[in-house]
Amino acid sequence: MECKLCGSTLLTVRPCKDAKTQEMMPIADCQRCSLVQQAEMPSTEALQIYYSHHYRTDYKSAYEPKPKYVYRAGRTALDRLQCLQKALDLPTGSRLLYVGAGGGEFVCMANKFGFHAIGIEPNQGYSTFARNAYDCEIRTGSLEDVRDERFDLISLFHVLEHMAEPTEVMRKLHSLLNPKGYLFLEVPNIWQKDASPHNIYFKAHLYYYSRASLTALTSPYFETVWMEDEGNLMAILRKRDTPLAAHQYPTAADLSHHAQRMARKGWSEYLFEGGGWKKPWQRLQRSQQEQAVAHLSAAQILERLAAPHLR
Ligand SMILES: [Zn+2]
Protein backbone atom coordinates (compact mmCIF):
# COMPACT_ATOMS: atom_id res chain seq x y z
CA MET A 1 0.00 0.00 0.00
CA GLU A 2 0.92 3.66 -0.40
CA CYS A 3 0.60 6.44 2.15
CA LYS A 4 -2.45 8.56 1.27
CA LEU A 5 -0.57 11.76 2.04
CA CYS A 6 2.99 11.38 0.77
CA GLY A 7 2.71 8.31 -1.48
CA SER A 8 5.53 6.49 0.32
CA THR A 9 5.43 2.69 0.46
CA LEU A 10 7.45 2.67 3.70
CA LEU A 11 4.54 1.83 5.98
CA THR A 12 4.52 -0.32 9.08
CA VAL A 13 1.25 -2.17 9.57
CA ARG A 14 0.19 -3.25 13.07
CA PRO A 15 -2.94 -5.02 14.34
CA CYS A 16 -5.55 -2.83 16.12
CA LYS A 17 -9.22 -3.12 17.06
CA ASP A 18 -12.14 -0.80 16.41
CA ALA A 19 -13.11 0.70 19.79
CA LYS A 20 -16.84 0.25 19.21
CA THR A 21 -17.08 -3.26 17.72
CA GLN A 22 -13.74 -4.82 18.74
CA GLU A 23 -13.35 -5.95 15.13
CA MET A 24 -9.80 -6.16 13.80
CA MET A 25 -8.73 -2.99 12.02
CA PRO A 26 -5.07 -2.87 10.91
CA ILE A 27 -3.34 0.49 11.24
CA ALA A 28 -0.45 1.69 9.05
CA ASP A 29 2.21 4.13 10.22
CA CYS A 30 3.98 6.05 7.46
CA GLN A 31 7.73 6.20 8.04
CA ARG A 32 8.15 9.22 5.77
CA CYS A 33 5.42 11.70 6.78
CA SER A 34 4.29 10.04 10.08
CA LEU A 35 0.62 9.94 9.08
CA VAL A 36 -1.23 7.16 10.90
CA GLN A 37 -3.96 5.70 8.72
CA GLN A 38 -6.21 2.68 8.31
CA ALA A 39 -4.37 0.02 6.32
CA GLU A 40 -7.61 -1.24 4.74
CA MET A 41 -9.81 1.79 4.03
CA PRO A 42 -13.49 0.86 4.53
CA SER A 43 -15.87 1.44 1.61
CA THR A 44 -18.38 4.30 1.72
CA GLU A 45 -21.22 1.77 2.17
CA ALA A 46 -19.46 0.02 5.06
CA LEU A 47 -18.96 3.40 6.72
CA GLN A 48 -22.61 4.40 6.31
CA ILE A 49 -23.77 1.18 7.97
CA TYR A 50 -21.24 1.69 10.74
CA TYR A 51 -22.32 5.33 11.29
CA SER A 52 -26.00 4.46 11.51
CA HIS A 53 -25.31 1.69 14.06
CA HIS A 54 -22.70 3.36 16.20
CA TYR A 55 -23.11 7.12 15.91
CA ARG A 56 -26.93 7.28 16.27
CA THR A 57 -27.06 9.07 12.94
CA ASP A 58 -30.11 7.77 11.20
CA TYR A 59 -29.96 10.28 8.36
CA LYS A 60 -33.72 10.81 8.18
CA SER A 61 -35.08 10.53 11.70
CA ALA A 62 -36.30 13.47 13.80
CA TYR A 63 -33.84 14.77 16.33
CA GLU A 64 -34.32 16.53 19.64
CA PRO A 65 -31.15 16.76 21.76
CA LYS A 66 -31.46 16.54 25.54
CA PRO A 67 -30.67 19.82 27.34
CA LYS A 68 -27.49 18.28 28.76
CA TYR A 69 -26.13 17.68 25.25
CA VAL A 70 -26.97 21.24 24.19
CA TYR A 71 -25.19 22.51 27.29
CA ARG A 72 -22.13 20.34 26.61
CA ALA A 73 -21.95 21.36 22.93
CA GLY A 74 -22.57 25.00 23.89
CA ARG A 75 -19.63 24.99 26.34
CA THR A 76 -17.36 23.52 23.66
CA ALA A 77 -18.56 26.11 21.14
CA LEU A 78 -17.80 28.87 23.63
CA ASP A 79 -14.25 27.54 24.23
CA ARG A 80 -13.59 27.43 20.50
CA LEU A 81 -14.89 30.95 19.91
CA GLN A 82 -12.71 32.25 22.72
CA CYS A 83 -9.65 30.57 21.12
CA LEU A 84 -10.56 32.28 17.88
CA GLN A 85 -10.96 35.68 19.53
CA LYS A 86 -7.54 35.36 21.18
CA ALA A 87 -5.79 34.37 17.95
CA LEU A 88 -7.50 36.61 15.37
CA ASP A 89 -9.21 39.97 15.19
CA LEU A 90 -11.86 39.36 12.56
CA PRO A 91 -14.31 42.16 11.74
CA THR A 92 -17.97 41.87 12.75
CA GLY A 93 -20.05 40.24 10.02
CA SER A 94 -17.21 37.99 8.79
CA ARG A 95 -18.67 35.08 6.86
CA LEU A 96 -18.05 31.78 8.62
CA LEU A 97 -18.82 28.34 7.19
CA TYR A 98 -19.08 25.53 9.71
CA VAL A 99 -18.81 22.08 8.09
CA GLY A 100 -20.49 19.30 10.11
CA ALA A 101 -22.72 21.66 12.07
CA GLY A 102 -24.45 18.88 14.08
CA GLY A 103 -27.20 20.32 16.29
CA GLY A 104 -26.25 23.92 15.40
CA GLU A 105 -24.86 25.11 18.75
CA PHE A 106 -21.61 26.51 17.31
CA VAL A 107 -23.40 28.38 14.49
CA CYS A 108 -25.83 29.93 16.96
CA MET A 109 -22.99 30.94 19.33
CA ALA A 110 -20.84 32.28 16.48
CA ASN A 111 -23.70 34.57 15.42
CA LYS A 112 -23.89 35.90 18.99
CA PHE A 113 -20.14 36.62 18.76
CA GLY A 114 -20.69 38.78 15.65
CA PHE A 115 -20.06 36.34 12.82
CA HIS A 116 -22.37 35.78 9.90
CA ALA A 117 -22.29 32.02 10.38
CA ILE A 118 -23.64 29.37 8.03
CA GLY A 119 -23.66 25.68 8.92
CA ILE A 120 -23.78 22.64 6.70
CA GLU A 121 -24.82 19.27 8.11
CA PRO A 122 -25.59 16.02 6.26
CA ASN A 123 -28.06 14.74 8.86
CA GLN A 124 -31.59 15.88 8.11
CA GLY A 125 -32.84 15.53 11.69
CA TYR A 126 -29.96 17.56 13.16
CA SER A 127 -30.07 20.30 10.54
CA THR A 128 -33.86 20.69 10.77
CA PHE A 129 -33.68 20.90 14.54
CA ALA A 130 -30.93 23.53 14.39
CA ARG A 131 -32.80 25.74 11.90
CA ASN A 132 -35.93 25.70 14.04
CA ALA A 133 -34.31 26.00 17.45
CA TYR A 134 -31.94 28.90 16.72
CA ASP A 135 -33.35 30.66 13.68
CA CYS A 136 -30.01 30.41 11.88
CA GLU A 137 -28.81 29.23 8.47
CA ILE A 138 -28.03 25.52 8.58
CA ARG A 139 -28.14 23.76 5.24
CA THR A 140 -28.69 20.03 4.87
CA GLY A 141 -25.75 18.73 2.86
CA SER A 142 -21.99 18.31 2.85
CA LEU A 143 -18.89 20.23 1.81
CA GLU A 144 -19.26 19.01 -1.80
CA ASP A 145 -22.56 20.92 -2.03
CA VAL A 146 -20.88 24.28 -1.31
CA ARG A 147 -19.82 25.93 -4.56
CA ASP A 148 -19.25 29.41 -5.96
CA GLU A 149 -19.24 31.07 -2.56
CA ARG A 150 -16.50 32.71 -0.49
CA PHE A 151 -16.00 32.77 3.25
CA ASP A 152 -13.62 34.55 5.62
CA LEU A 153 -13.34 31.54 7.91
CA ILE A 154 -14.17 27.86 7.55
CA SER A 155 -14.24 25.54 10.53
CA LEU A 156 -14.24 21.76 10.74
CA PHE A 157 -14.25 20.17 14.19
CA HIS A 158 -13.79 16.41 14.34
CA VAL A 159 -14.69 16.06 10.66
CA LEU A 160 -11.37 15.85 8.81
CA GLU A 161 -10.44 12.46 10.30
CA HIS A 162 -13.57 11.00 8.65
CA MET A 163 -12.71 12.32 5.19
CA ALA A 164 -11.19 9.83 2.75
CA GLU A 165 -9.37 12.33 0.50
CA PRO A 166 -7.94 14.99 2.81
CA THR A 167 -5.65 16.52 0.18
CA GLU A 168 -8.64 17.13 -2.09
CA VAL A 169 -10.48 18.63 0.88
CA MET A 170 -7.62 21.12 1.45
CA ARG A 171 -7.75 22.18 -2.18
CA LYS A 172 -11.51 22.70 -1.95
CA LEU A 173 -11.30 24.68 1.30
CA HIS A 174 -8.60 26.90 -0.20
CA SER A 175 -10.91 27.63 -3.15
CA LEU A 176 -13.83 28.59 -0.86
CA LEU A 177 -11.87 31.13 1.19
CA ASN A 178 -11.42 34.82 0.54
CA PRO A 179 -7.82 36.06 0.20
CA LYS A 180 -6.19 35.87 3.69
CA GLY A 181 -9.12 33.71 4.82
CA TYR A 182 -8.71 31.30 7.71
CA LEU A 183 -9.28 27.66 8.46
CA PHE A 184 -10.06 26.56 12.02
CA LEU A 185 -9.56 22.81 12.56
CA GLU A 186 -9.89 20.40 15.41
CA VAL A 187 -9.14 16.68 15.17
CA PRO A 188 -8.28 13.94 17.66
CA ASN A 189 -4.55 14.06 18.33
CA ILE A 190 -2.62 10.79 18.03
CA TRP A 191 0.07 12.25 20.34
CA GLN A 192 -2.37 13.21 23.11
CA LYS A 193 -1.83 11.74 26.56
CA ASP A 194 -5.41 12.15 27.79
CA ALA A 195 -7.16 9.66 25.49
CA SER A 196 -8.10 6.34 27.04
CA PRO A 197 -6.26 3.47 25.28
CA HIS A 198 -9.73 1.93 24.78
CA ASN A 199 -10.83 4.91 22.71
CA ILE A 200 -8.22 5.66 20.08
CA TYR A 201 -8.97 3.70 16.92
CA PHE A 202 -12.40 3.83 15.25
CA LYS A 203 -13.49 2.45 11.91
CA ALA A 204 -15.05 5.86 11.11
CA HIS A 205 -11.70 7.60 11.68
CA LEU A 206 -9.70 6.97 8.55
CA TYR A 207 -6.70 9.08 9.64
CA TYR A 208 -5.04 9.87 13.00
CA TYR A 209 -3.29 13.23 12.86
CA SER A 210 -0.55 14.86 14.91
CA ARG A 211 0.98 18.33 14.84
CA ALA A 212 3.55 17.00 12.33
CA SER A 213 1.20 15.22 9.91
CA LEU A 214 -1.51 17.91 10.03
CA THR A 215 1.11 20.53 9.19
CA ALA A 216 2.29 18.37 6.28
CA LEU A 217 -1.26 17.87 5.00
CA THR A 218 -2.23 21.54 5.13
CA SER A 219 1.14 23.05 4.13
CA PRO A 220 0.61 23.45 0.36
CA TYR A 221 -2.50 25.58 0.84
CA PHE A 222 -2.23 27.06 4.33
CA GLU A 223 0.30 28.46 6.78
CA THR A 224 -0.08 27.84 10.48
CA VAL A 225 -1.08 30.82 12.64
CA TRP A 226 -1.73 28.91 15.86
CA MET A 227 -1.63 25.27 16.89
CA GLU A 228 -2.37 23.66 20.25
CA ASP A 229 -1.91 19.96 20.97
CA GLU A 230 -2.11 19.43 24.72
CA GLY A 231 -5.35 17.46 24.27
CA ASN A 232 -7.11 17.39 20.92
CA LEU A 233 -5.21 18.99 18.07
CA MET A 234 -6.51 22.48 17.26
CA ALA A 235 -5.19 24.75 14.54
CA ILE A 236 -5.87 28.11 12.96
CA LEU A 237 -4.35 28.40 9.49
CA ARG A 238 -4.17 31.23 6.96
CA LYS A 239 -4.82 30.72 3.24
CA ARG A 240 -1.70 31.06 1.08
CA ASP A 241 -2.09 33.44 -1.86
CA THR A 242 -0.26 30.96 -4.07
CA PRO A 243 -0.24 27.28 -3.10
CA LEU A 244 3.20 25.70 -2.60
CA ALA A 245 4.34 23.19 -5.21
CA ALA A 246 5.05 20.52 -2.56
CA HIS A 247 4.09 19.49 0.97
CA GLN A 248 6.35 20.43 3.86
CA TYR A 249 7.06 17.01 5.35
CA PRO A 250 8.16 16.42 8.95
CA THR A 251 11.85 16.80 9.81
CA ALA A 252 13.97 13.97 11.22
CA ALA A 253 13.43 15.46 14.72
CA ASP A 254 9.63 15.43 14.20
CA LEU A 255 9.77 11.80 13.08
CA SER A 256 11.80 10.79 16.10
CA HIS A 257 9.36 12.64 18.41
CA HIS A 258 6.48 10.84 16.70
CA ALA A 259 8.11 7.45 17.26
CA GLN A 260 8.64 8.31 20.94
CA ARG A 261 5.04 9.43 21.43
CA MET A 262 3.67 6.27 19.83
CA ALA A 263 5.94 4.04 21.94
CA ARG A 264 4.80 5.67 25.19
CA LYS A 265 1.04 5.44 24.63
CA GLY A 266 -0.73 3.18 27.09
CA TRP A 267 -2.63 2.95 30.36
CA SER A 268 0.11 4.22 32.62
CA GLU A 269 0.64 7.40 30.57
CA TYR A 270 -3.13 7.99 30.28
CA LEU A 271 -3.85 7.62 34.00
CA PHE A 272 -0.90 9.46 35.50
CA GLU A 273 0.28 11.96 32.87
CA GLY A 274 -2.94 12.38 30.90
CA GLY A 275 -5.07 12.96 34.04
CA GLY A 276 -7.22 9.87 33.40
CA TRP A 277 -7.58 9.25 37.14
CA LYS A 278 -9.46 12.57 37.56
CA LYS A 279 -12.08 11.81 34.92
CA PRO A 280 -14.78 10.15 37.08
CA TRP A 281 -14.73 13.24 39.36
CA GLN A 282 -14.91 15.63 36.39
CA ARG A 283 -17.88 13.69 35.00
CA LEU A 284 -19.72 14.07 38.33
CA GLN A 285 -19.15 17.84 38.36
CA ARG A 286 -20.34 18.15 34.79
CA SER A 287 -23.49 16.18 35.49
CA GLN A 288 -24.40 18.63 38.30
CA GLN A 289 -24.00 21.62 35.95
CA GLU A 290 -26.08 19.86 33.33
CA GLN A 291 -28.95 19.18 35.75
CA ALA A 292 -29.21 22.93 36.41
CA VAL A 293 -30.28 23.59 32.78
CA ALA A 294 -32.63 20.61 32.36
CA HIS A 295 -35.77 22.83 32.34
CA LEU A 296 -34.51 25.32 29.67
CA SER A 297 -35.00 25.32 25.90
CA ALA A 298 -31.97 24.85 23.63
CA ALA A 299 -31.96 28.57 22.69
CA GLN A 300 -32.18 29.61 26.37
CA ILE A 301 -29.26 27.34 27.32
CA LEU A 302 -26.99 28.92 24.70
CA GLU A 303 -28.19 32.42 25.61
CA ARG A 304 -27.29 31.82 29.25
CA LEU A 305 -23.86 30.38 28.38
CA ALA A 306 -22.95 33.22 26.02
CA ALA A 307 -24.26 36.18 28.06
CA PRO A 308 -21.24 36.69 30.38
CA HIS A 309 -18.86 36.69 27.39
CA LEU A 310 -20.55 39.20 25.14
CA ARG A 311 -19.36 42.80 25.11
ZN1 LIG B 1 3.26 9.36 4.36
Side-chain angles (χ1 to χ4, degrees), residues 3 5-8 30 32-35 37:
C3 171
L5 174 53
C6 72
S8 166
C30 177
R32 181 177 175 218
C33 74
S34 80
L35 181 62
Q37 52 209 291

Side-chain angles (χ1 to χ4, degrees), residues 178-195:
N178 280 323
K180 311 273 183 259
Y182 294 93
L183 193 57
F184 187 11
L185 297 175
E186 183 175 327
V187 287
N189 172 13
I190 193 65
W191 290 355
Q192 80 194 95
K193 297 176 178 175
D194 60 348

Side-chain angles (χ1 to χ4, degrees), residues 55-72:
Y55 280 76
R56 290 191 221 99
T57 52
D58 180 341
Y59 275 75
K60 290 182 197 106
S61 68
Y63 170 75
E64 187 74 41
K66 290 188 178 144
K68 69 174 180 183
Y69 294 115
V70 175
Y71 180 80
R72 224 175 270 180

